[in-house]
Amino acid sequence: MKVRKAVVSILAGCLIVVGSAGPKASHQAGIAPKGLPSAAVTFEDVAEEAGLRFQHVSGSEEKRYILEAMGSGVAWLDYNRDGWPDLYLVNGGKWSELLQGNSTVSNALYHNNGDGTFADVTRRAGVGDSHWGMGVAVGDYDNDGWDDLYLCNYGSNTLYRNNRDGTFTDVTTQAGVGDRRWNMSASFADYDNDGKVDLYVTSTVRFDHRKPPPMECLYRTMVVHCGPLGLATDPDILYRNNGDGTFSDVSEQSGIAKVTPCYGLGVAWGDYDNDGDLDIYVANDQTPNFLFRNQGDGTFEEVGAHSGAAYSDDGIAQGSMGVEFGDFDQDGFLDLFLSHFSDEYNTLYRNLGDGSFRDVSYSAEIAFPSWRFLGWGVGFVDFDNDGWEDLFVANGHLFPQINQYRLNTTYRQHSQMYQNRGKGRFREVSAGLDRVEPGSSRGVACADFDNDGDVDIAVNNLDGKPWLLRNQGGHLSGHWLSLMLQGVRTNRRAIGTRATVQTENNRLVREVRGGSSYQSTHDLELHFGLGETTKVKALSVRWTDGTVQRFEDIAADRRYRLVEGGELEPHDAPNG
């Protein structure tokens, strides 16, 4: 769609920002930050020695079209159930091959060898998927106890069923989930509590690679690619799991389709109002974000603006990318963290417990340090095991052209870590991230891949190598507990199940989530940092059908497994 330059400078939304540059940052993006305090943990990129030979490819160097700038995601899954999280990386494509209708670019599945290394098993597993890839969600859609994969693509989406023998089968057509719109992110959850995981899929601009909008839009006088504002969009999709290997599009009857379509990027499920069913938060690009409150009867009501979670504190619809639920203040209600475009600030919404949220980004001290960065994937995780959930953000600009100008920012940027100090405040810390080569990062997924008791991070970098950020010290900084859940009456991977840990000083809430961050999925095993606590007073698990199990006096620094209705059992994997 051709749009004149004079118009596009106003319309380009997330991609075209005109006006105030915001407050000056304390350091330049893409340059090693100076003067940041150290943290109890540091991260080291061990991707090379771990054997991750993956190379992300996404069109031209100059990013002439919006499609080339938006992917891709990453996911952790234990596809062979050996107790070691495996890694799935989504890839993009080459423009010339897209025009020709073929692709030599492939996604990749890496098997965790349990010794700090990974082996590429993509070909054997049959999960290469040569579409131009965006997001990845993990869930057990057929309730056989094995992780399946759902991929969002430009072109038909893909559902891979785990065959339980190290291979997967493409069952997209049979399942009825091969939508051909440009979908960005997806997330599994059992919204109607019938024991089967359903699927939410976000959609973005209508884009035709055969007739793409010309590269004639303006960003701070630079000519860059166009979108999203000014381009048409498609609605998101909610698929209901029929229990027979198929899904039905219930967007209309569920109420999801009642909203005006926006540019959907990230999505996460969470029970924000503590009523026992799962709600949906959608991060939209430069348009109001959605909060769909589950009404418990198979329908949803969109309450984003009413709840205070659709806009920033000054009433602006931000360029929202990644989203994560977490309880940063330990009050038992899930808060929200979102990453945004540069010259905006990343947003922390505090859940007030009455169905509403408050933007506390400035008082929490995360707004100012994020202004110069463009954030994508996020993690809301207790990385230092002190009992308080920290924040991780992967950054990277959309426009390579910015390196030609003195704009106090760069195309490739460093990631950021915010340490939770308690009392509602964070501080940005170096955490070794200043020693990692900057990238134009996108997807983020967290897991304790080496089973040493602290959480590590995988990052997918646009046109680059992935990072495998190994946590060097979280297990030494504080005690911890990990929990693997398995449903029986409820869905087998326990997605949506809530676990609450009570210690002498803390109440920690976690939910199993089948997709969040940006285009990504964290490990389904729940991790709790415990600080100085060596024994948990109580652990309660609320399954998605409302049943609650409770256990007391649980030793720390262990992995546990709980099958619904059974006893809590140690489930330790050998340390790497």
Side-chain angles (χ1 to χ4, degrees):
M1 159 176 164
K2 185 166 183 176
V3 184
R4 290 185 306 167
K5 235 183 253 186
V7 176
V8 171
S9 64
I10 299 173
L11 290 181
C14 168
L15 304 189
I16 314 298
V17 179
V18 179
S20 171
K24 290 186 177 181
S26 58
H27 51 74
Q28 291 189 8
I31 299 175
K34 304 297 183 183
L36 288 180
S38 59
V41 300
T42 60
F43 289 87
E44 179 185 0
D45 180 15
V46 297
E48 182 69 25
E49 49 264 53
L52 301 181
R53 307 289 185 247
F54 181 81
Q55 172 66 49
H56 188 270
V57 177
S58 191
S60 64
E61 289 186 9
E62 63 269 29
K63 305 303 173 210
R64 295 184 59 82
Y65 309 111
I66 186 175
L67 173 64
E68 300 174 300
M70 301 303 290
S72 304
V74 57
W76 292 101
L77 70 159
D78 187 4
Y79 79 97
N80 59 348
R81 301 206 318 186
D82 65 352
W84 296 90
D86 309 298
L87 187 63
Y88 191 81
L89 290 153
V90 182
N91 217 329
K94 298 178 181 179
W95 195 260
S96 59
E97 293 181 346
L98 181 64
L99 293 175
Q100 295 167 5
N102 58 51
S103 178
T104 59
V105 177
S106 170
N107 299 347
L109 175 63
Y110 286 92
H111 171 257
N112 189 334
N113 296 324
D115 59 1
T117 68
F118 290 78
D120 187 341
V121 296
T122 311
R123 185 179 295 275
R124 178 180 182 276
V127 290
D129 195 66
S130 57
H131 292 98
W132 197 305
M134 293 290 151
V136 52
V138 176
D140 180 10
Y141 85 96
D142 54 0
N143 267 344
D144 65 353
W146 297 74
D147 290 340
D148 307 303
L149 285 167
Y150 185 76
L151 306 176
C152 293
N153 299 312
Y154 174 71
S156 177
N157 296 339
T158 306
L159 176 62
Y160 283 117
R161 186 190 67 216
N162 193 326
N163 297 325
R164 299 179 287 181
D165 60 0
T167 69
F168 291 75
T169 297
D170 182 343
V171 295
T172 310
T173 301
Q174 303 94 299
V177 291
D179 189 72
R180 298 192 62 85
R181 288 169 281 190
W182 182 8
N183 299 130
M184 281 290 188
S185 295
S187 186
F188 285 102
D190 182 8
Y191 78 89
D192 51 3
N193 293 338
D194 66 351
K196 303 178 291 291
V197 288
D198 312 297
L199 184 63
Y200 190 96
V201 183
T202 69
S203 301
T204 185
V205 302
R206 293 180 186 172
F207 186 86
D208 186 345
H209 63 278
R210 296 161 298 188
K211 297 180 293 182
M215 185 175 174
E216 59 177 24
C217 295
L218 296 178
Y219 173 75
R220 294 188 176 186
T221 74
M222 292 177 289
V223 178
V224 296
H225 63 250
C226 296
L229 293 186
L231 301 178
T233 187
D234 282 310
D236 296 348
I237 311 165
L238 178 62
Y239 290 110
R240 184 178 185 272
N241 192 330
N242 298 321
D244 59 0
T246 69
F247 290 79
S248 295
D249 184 343
V250 295
S251 306
E252 291 287 344
Q253 51 265 53
S254 68
I256 294 299
K258 290 183 178 180
V259 300
T260 300
C262 290
Y263 307 106
L265 295 184
V267 58
W269 295 82
D271 182 10
Y272 83 93
D273 52 3
N274 287 357
D275 66 350
D277 48 36
L278 293 171
D279 313 293
I280 313 166
Y281 191 90
V282 181
N284 291 317
D285 195 354
Q286 285 296 298
T287 46
N289 297 325
F290 298 146
L291 177 59
F292 291 107
R293 184 177 65 84
N294 193 329
Q295 301 188 96
D297 59 0
T299 67
F300 293 82
E301 178 188 11
E302 204 289 302
V303 296
H306 179 74
S307 71
Y311 303 92
S312 67
D313 193 44
D314 51 4
I316 301 298
Q318 297 173 284
S320 303
M321 313 294 185
V323 57
E324 202 72 79
F325 279 105
D327 183 14
F328 80 93
D329 53 1
Q330 298 183 5
D331 66 353
F333 287 90
L334 295 178
D335 311 297
L336 280 162
F337 178 66
L338 284 91
S339 59
H340 297 297
F341 196 76
S342 60
D343 299 324
E344 298 176 343
Y345 61 87
N346 294 336
T347 310
L348 180 64
Y349 291 105
R350 180 174 180 264
N351 190 331
L352 302 182
D354 59 1
S356 66
F357 291 83
R358 176 176 297 156
D359 180 349
V360 296
S361 310
Y362 278 100
S363 62
E365 300 180 15
I366 66 168
F368 183 81
S370 66
W371 266 98
R372 291 295 177 183
F373 293 88
L374 199 164
W376 299 89
V378 296
F380 213 148
V381 176
D382 185 359
F383 293 104
D384 54 8
N385 283 342
D386 67 350
W388 298 86
E389 288 177 290
D390 310 300
L391 298 170
F392 174 86
V393 189
N395 299 308
H397 217 284
L398 282 166
F399 308 129
Q401 294 80 8
I402 63 174
N403 285 342
Q404 303 170 23
Y405 298 82
R406 296 178 62 86
L407 295 177
N408 198 26
T409 189
T410 56
Y411 178 60
R412 292 180 174 83
Q413 302 177 355
H414 287 276
S415 296
Q416 292 173 288
M417 179 72 67
Y418 298 93
Q419 182 186 44
N420 191 335
R421 304 165 66 187
K423 299 182 179 180
R425 295 182 182 274
F426 293 77
R427 64 172 181 174
E428 186 184 3
V429 293
S430 60
L433 298 174
D434 53 345
R435 297 194 293 271
V436 178
E437 285 296 318
S440 187
S441 303
R442 295 297 185 264
V444 168
C446 301
D448 182 7
F449 84 88
D450 51 3
N451 282 329
D452 67 351
D454 52 34
V455 179
D456 314 292
I457 308 169
V459 180
N460 203 352
N461 291 305
L462 191 75
D463 291 325
K465 303 288 187 181
W467 297 332
L468 181 60
L469 302 178
R470 183 171 185 170
N471 191 329
Q472 306 282 70
H475 62 292
L476 303 175
S477 303
H479 297 284
W480 56 275
L481 180 148
S482 286
L483 181 62
M484 176 58 71
L485 298 170
Q486 179 181 315
V488 177
R489 296 181 303 275
T490 59
N491 73 87
R492 288 290 297 276
R493 291 301 268 125
I495 292 174
T497 299
R498 173 178 290 202
T500 303
V501 161
Q502 185 70 53
T503 70
E504 291 291 342
N505 303 310
N506 305 87
R507 178 175 57 166
L508 314 174
V509 174
R510 307 283 188 270
E511 288 183 352
V512 183
R513 203 157 286 129
S516 58
S517 181
Y518 174 73
Q519 301 182 339
S520 301
T521 304
H522 305 299
D523 186 17
L524 300 185
E525 185 169 318
L526 299 178
H527 180 87
F528 300 84
L530 302 176
E532 298 179 356
T533 299
T534 59
K535 181 172 286 190
V536 169
K537 288 179 60 178
L539 164 67
S540 66
V541 176
R542 188 192 72 190
W543 302 92
T544 55
D545 65 356
T547 303
V548 176
Q549 290 183 260
R550 181 180 172 87
F551 306 90
E552 297 180 347
D553 297 328
I554 304 162
D557 302 322
R558 298 290 302 273
R559 284 187 155 71
Y560 293 92
R561 179 172 179 263
L562 176 63
V563 178
E564 185 179 5
E567 294 298 319
L568 189 67
E569 299 176 346
H571 186 59
D572 291 327
N575 285 346

